[in-house]
Amino acid sequence: QVHLVESGGGSVQAGGSLRLSCAASGYTVSYYCLGWFRQVPGKEREGVANIDRWGSTIYADSVKGRFTISKDNAKNTLYLQMNSLKPEDTAMYYCAARGYAYCNRSPSDYKYWGQGTQVTVSS
């Protein structure tokens, strides 16, 4: 089984930074596409960023230049560095593993999910 646990969320003012972590166990998840998603009540879950097995990354237009996805293969951990945070970044953030080496941004294609960590950005 693949178990994912997010941490690092919190409440910050606009312009601030947070780093989210996703600790994985049960499998060497660096072999999989890994992604960060976020969801606001009443809206569909959206892809924020993903990184494939080989380190190629894709970002949602809304976060390009502000967020950076990375992974530490030795630690089996995924990260999301979030800078210049905006109120519209407020959401529950989830990490996920697709179960496949190549990435896309469709939540339905991701097999394993963490419990989520809340990020709140205040003006």
Side-chain angles (χ1 to χ4, degrees):
Q1 75 288 356
V2 176
H3 184 59
L4 305 174
V5 179
E6 303 96 333
S7 62
S11 182
V12 298
Q13 294 186 33
S17 297
L18 287 172
R19 189 180 75 158
L20 306 183
S21 298
C22 174
S25 61
Y27 190 77
T28 304
V29 295
S30 60
Y31 293 154
Y32 286 155
C33 163
L34 302 171
W36 287 98
F37 296 80
R38 65 188 183 187
Q39 189 167 25
V40 176
K43 295 185 177 181
E44 296 293 323
R45 189 162 50 197
E46 64 174 340
V48 174
N50 60 56
I51 182 167
D52 71 13
R53 171 179 175 170
W54 302 275
S56 295
T57 59
I58 297 176
Y59 295 90
D61 288 342
S62 59
V63 306
K64 285 181 179 178
R66 300 188 298 119
F67 291 10
T68 302
I69 187 171
S70 63
K71 60 180 179 177
D72 187 328
N73 291 343
K75 296 181 179 180
N76 217 22
T77 300
L78 178 72
Y79 303 97
L80 184 68
Q81 179 66 46
M82 304 186 294
N83 298 326
S84 302
L85 283 162
K86 303 175 180 179
E88 54 262 42
D89 295 318
T90 296
M92 183 72 73
Y93 282 72
Y94 300 89
C95 68
R98 191 182 180 195
Y100 187 67
Y102 292 95
C103 283
N104 66 10
R105 287 192 282 171
S106 176
S108 64
D109 287 337
Y110 286 73
K111 187 174 183 179
Y112 306 104
W113 292 85
Q115 82 288 351
T117 185
Q118 179 68 39
V119 172
T120 301
V121 185
S122 301
S123 298

